[in-house]
Every structure is written in C-alpha cells, then in structure tokens.
Amino acid sequence: MFKGSLPALVTPFRNGELDLETLKKLVEWHIGEGSNGLVPVGTTGESPTLSHREHEIVVEEVVKAANGRIPVIAGAGSNNTVEAIRLARHAESVGADAILVVTPYYNKPTQRGLIAHFTAIHDACELPIVIYNIPPRSVIDMTPATMGELAKLPRIIGVKDATGDLARVSYQRMTCGKDFVQLSGEDATAHGFNAQGGVGCISVTANVAPKPLAEMQAACAAGDYAKALEIQDRLMPLHRAIFTEPGLVGVKYAMSRLDLCSDEVRLPLTGLSDETKALVDDALRHAGLLN
C-alpha cells in the first residue's frame, strides 16, 4: 500500500495563515499527476512552526480531499511521547491511513529509549507506523538492530530512511525482514535506494515534479533501471538546487515559479537568496518544467 512516489506535502501559507484552498488544489493535482500517496505535516510541511490545531487541520483537510483515492501518511512525530500519542490518535480519528513518526530530536534518547518511545505510540494507536530516521535533524540514529526489534511489533511496518547510506537498506532487510517497507527520505539517492531493496520515496522534489518522479518509481518497480536513471539524470540538478538552502524553502520557491502556491515560509526560515533562485530556475528548465 505504501510505495512509489509519496510527496512530503508542503503547507501553503497566505499572509501568515494556512491557505487551505491551495492545499486542496495541490491534493487534486498530485492525484492527477500520478503520485502514489501523500505525507502531510512532516518537515517539508513546516510542522515545527505549525500550532497543534493547524497541524490537525492540515491532516484533516488532506485526508478529506484525498477521499481514499491515495493513502495519506500523516506526520505525527514529536520529541515528547505524550504529544506524539495525541497526534497519532488524532490522525487515526480523522481517517489517515498511517503515521510517520520521527525519532525524538533534541533530547537524544538511547536506543532503549527509542524502543520505549515507539512502543508507547504503537500501543496507543491502531494505525500503521512508518519510522522516520533522519540523524542530521534529530541528532540520533536508530540502528538497524533497534529497528529490527521494533519491526517485531505488528503495526510498525516501515521506515523513511534519510541517512543517505544506501547500505542501510540491506542491513535493515537483514534485521527487519524483506517485507519491511523501506522508503527513501532523500531524493538524490532514491534511484539507488530502490536498487538495494527500497520500494519508494517520501519526496520533497515531488512537490514540483510529481509526474516524472512517479514515473521513475514505476520504472524501478518494473526493473527498468535504465529508464529510471534517465529521469534521475533529468531531475538531479533540481534535487541539488532545491536543497542548496532548506529544502522546503527551495521547493516552495520552485512551486511558486509554476504558480502552484506561494513561496511564503515561516520564521526562522526565510526566502531564498537571489543566487539560489537562479539555480532553481536553471534546474527547472533542465527538467523541462519551466520554459
């Protein structure tokens, strides 16, 4: 159920407030472009600067707009276990298909603490859980051994792996089993990730290039890695340009160039520099997305 190209959905703003009309239009656009699922209120959805109620509203509106046509994996992570449980239960109550739960940032729990945190969320909610392992942001790294322990729980079904280490896919196949759903969390290595045993990508760039990335994932699933590599080559400058500054800022600017949404972000993030804008524009042209 959770495979292919799953955009890490941006949260559109207008004059500092949620732009729900644009959010709904983006859901329709992604479905029409062939995206295989949606992941709202993750890092790319600016969850750190959304209020709790805004977070809930975005999940509610995306689930409602998707209306069961493609799965919705709702962000429900926190470094506070009680808060993560509340977000998980809310996602369940409004009909999300799964939740994405990041390793707790800042307070740096041990591997034993990670097991306790994810077990508590698992036991409090009936939704499937995708672990989000992103050491550059959370400072801690869930080891393959720890993930293997958590994979024994019936509703911990996969990982969004943003370590950038392609060998992790094989290690996690060893500890978690071949049916454990491994999704890349890094656009630049998503092609190679699938070759190692991954089944898709929770993608930032798919916010602006959903159709080619869905096609790339479909080619990988069909074993046509040559076709997938052609698409990767076309999009690689865009992956790189978008992440020159924080990725969500880069992709919102790219989306604004295609009249998909405003490039507005919330502090402490700021808009792109002129130099980075030029890089993104050039990459959009190279990808065939901008004249």
Side-chain angles (χ1 to χ4, degrees):
M1 184 179 186
F2 308 116
K3 60 184 179 181
S5 179
L6 302 102
L9 199 62
V10 301
T11 301
F13 298 129
R14 187 172 297 280
N15 300 321
E17 302 297 325
L18 297 179
D19 183 355
L20 296 179
E21 288 307 309
T22 296
L23 180 66
K24 294 172 192 175
K25 289 177 183 176
L26 289 175
V27 172
E28 289 299 324
W29 182 63
H30 279 296
I31 292 171
E33 292 288 291
S35 292
N36 304 109
L38 294 169
V39 185
V41 290
T43 309
T44 307
E46 293 180 75
S47 57
T49 53
L50 297 181
S51 70
H52 289 166
R53 185 56 193 140
E54 286 175 327
H55 183 119
E56 293 171 347
I57 289 169
V58 171
V59 173
E60 291 165 15
E61 292 297 336
V62 171
V63 169
K64 194 184 305 179
N67 195 28
R69 290 174 290 172
I70 56 175
V72 175
I73 305 174
S78 174
N79 64 338
N80 177 335
T81 306
V82 172
E83 181 177 294
I85 288 171
R86 190 183 65 75
L87 293 173
R89 286 174 169 167
H90 172 266
E92 182 177 16
S93 73
V94 300
D97 298 284
I99 52 174
L100 180 69
V101 180
V102 70
T103 50
Y105 40 87
Y106 190 76
N107 36 12
K108 296 175 71 174
T110 61
Q111 298 297 305
R112 188 174 71 254
L114 289 177
I115 290 172
H117 175 78
F118 279 89
T119 301
I121 299 166
H122 171 275
D123 292 348
C125 171
E126 294 300 313
L127 288 179
I129 294 171
V130 177
I131 296 164
Y132 183 13
N133 193 28
I134 182 164
R137 286 187 183 274
S138 64
V139 189
I140 55 167
D141 182 8
M142 182 182 289
T143 66
T146 295
M147 200 172 294
E149 285 301 306
L150 288 170
K152 295 174 183 176
L153 297 172
R155 290 182 300 283
I156 294 187
I157 56 95
V159 60
K160 175 185 177 182
D161 188 299
T163 63
D165 178 3
L166 295 182
R168 280 296 181 97
V169 190
S170 295
Y171 294 144
Q172 286 155 188
R173 282 167 68 84
M174 291 168 60
T175 60
C176 301
K178 295 179 182 179
D179 293 332
F180 195 68
V181 175
Q182 296 203 56
L183 302 167
S184 172
E186 186 185 63
D187 280 297
T189 59
H191 175 273
F193 189 95
N194 287 344
Q196 291 284 90
V199 295
C201 181
I202 297 178
S203 167
V204 176
T205 307
N207 279 285
V208 73
K211 187 174 182 178
L213 282 168
E215 290 172 348
M216 189 192 86
Q217 288 294 332
C220 288
D224 191 349
Y225 280 91
K227 178 181 177 181
L229 187 57
E230 289 178 8
I231 299 170
Q232 175 77 344
D233 287 344
R234 195 167 83 238
L235 293 180
M236 193 65 197
L238 186 57
H239 298 327
R240 187 174 184 180
I242 281 172
F243 284 95
T244 301
E245 296 182 36
L248 76 91
V249 184
V251 84
K252 271 192 166 180
Y253 170 74
M255 293 172 76
S256 75
R257 296 289 282 132
L258 303 186
D259 296 321
L260 293 168
C261 73
S262 162
D263 65 352
E264 185 177 336
V265 295
R266 285 182 173 172
L267 290 171
L269 297 179
T270 57
L272 293 186
S273 67
D274 289 342
E275 292 81 3
T276 304
K277 286 180 180 178
L279 289 175
V280 174
D281 287 347
D282 287 344
L284 286 169
R285 293 187 189 98
H286 185 271
L289 299 171
L290 186 68
N291 295 327

